[in-house]
Amino acid sequence: FRAIVVSDLSVAFEAAIQYIARPLSVFIRKHHGTVLFPTAEGGSWCENFLGPVFGDVVSWQCESYYRATHAAVERNSNVGKFFPGMADLKFSVKGCMLQNVPISENFYATSQDAKLFRYVCDDYKASEDSDDKRNSVIVAIKSGGDLGGTIAYFGDVNAEPTTQVLMLNLLRQSPISVSIPEGTR
């Protein structure tokens, strides 16, 4: 198989570390496999799984949980490589955002801050959105380099249709690994 999808470890982080962390790490690092992590667990994935298993090559940190409109990060030239034809995509989801994500690993993000009651109605204004402020990350991908394979994070907690399309698109693009050259933006 080419890819694995691991969803919602929230009630089983200890068991995941004990039983699947090593096989996933070998699959990614040695066999250059792709593993997608769609989340529904509220932001503790970074601390309880990513850090212990892949902290030597991934620096992502969980930031906060809120609804926002996300767009492709234009500064990342790899967006079209992983998500062909989806560079103009904008979508609103509730999610667990990441921070401390290098530009080459930041694929879809928002420039909106957390705001009370946005869950009722997203107040996104295109005129106030700028690519250089898209730093609260909803889709992050680390691929190639010291990692070998690919880790992909999808922070949409409700697995909405747009996120599913992004995940399927990435799975289709994954011959085993679509590598990001070191230092590209």
Side-chain angles (χ1 to χ4, degrees), residues 57-137:
V57 292
V58 178
S59 61
W60 309 338
Q61 298 171 341
C62 290
E63 180 186 34
S64 54
Y65 166 80
Y66 58 98
R67 174 174 289 282
T69 295
H70 305 274
V73 176
E74 297 164 6
R75 295 167 289 161
N76 183 349
S77 62
N78 295 302
V79 171
K81 183 177 183 180
F82 285 83
F83 302 104
M86 301 182 88
D88 294 330
L89 178 67
K90 287 188 172 60
F91 57 100
S92 177
V93 296
K94 286 187 283 186
C96 297
M97 313 305 168
L98 297 178
Q99 63 184 1
N100 201 36
V101 177
I103 291 169
S104 64
E105 298 168 16
N106 179 351
F107 283 75
Y108 288 89
T110 187
S111 61
Q112 292 175 296
D113 292 327
K115 183 177 178 182
L116 191 60
F117 302 119
R118 188 178 286 130
Y119 66 89
V120 175
C121 179
D122 192 343
D123 60 350
Y124 174 79
K125 293 181 180 97
S127 62
E128 296 177 9
D129 183 27
S130 63
D131 190 67
D132 64 320
K133 294 180 182 174
R134 291 183 189 145
N135 296 314
S136 292
V137 181

Side-chain angles (χ1 to χ4, degrees), residues 1 5 8 18 29 34 36 52 71 74 90 103 113 118 120 132 153 169 174 176:
F1 50 97
V5 178
D8 194 9
Q18 183 176 356
R29 295 173 193 256
T34 297
L36 281 63
E74 297 164 6
K90 287 188 172 60
I103 291 169
D113 292 327
R118 188 178 286 130
V120 175
D132 64 320
Y153 172 85
N169 199 320
S174 179
I176 288 283

Side-chain angles (χ1 to χ4, degrees), residues 8-11 13 39-46 62 96 153 157:
D8 194 9
L9 298 173
S10 62
V11 295
F13 283 120
T39 189
E41 48 69 40
S44 55
W45 175 77
C46 293
C62 290
C96 297
Y153 172 85
V157 299

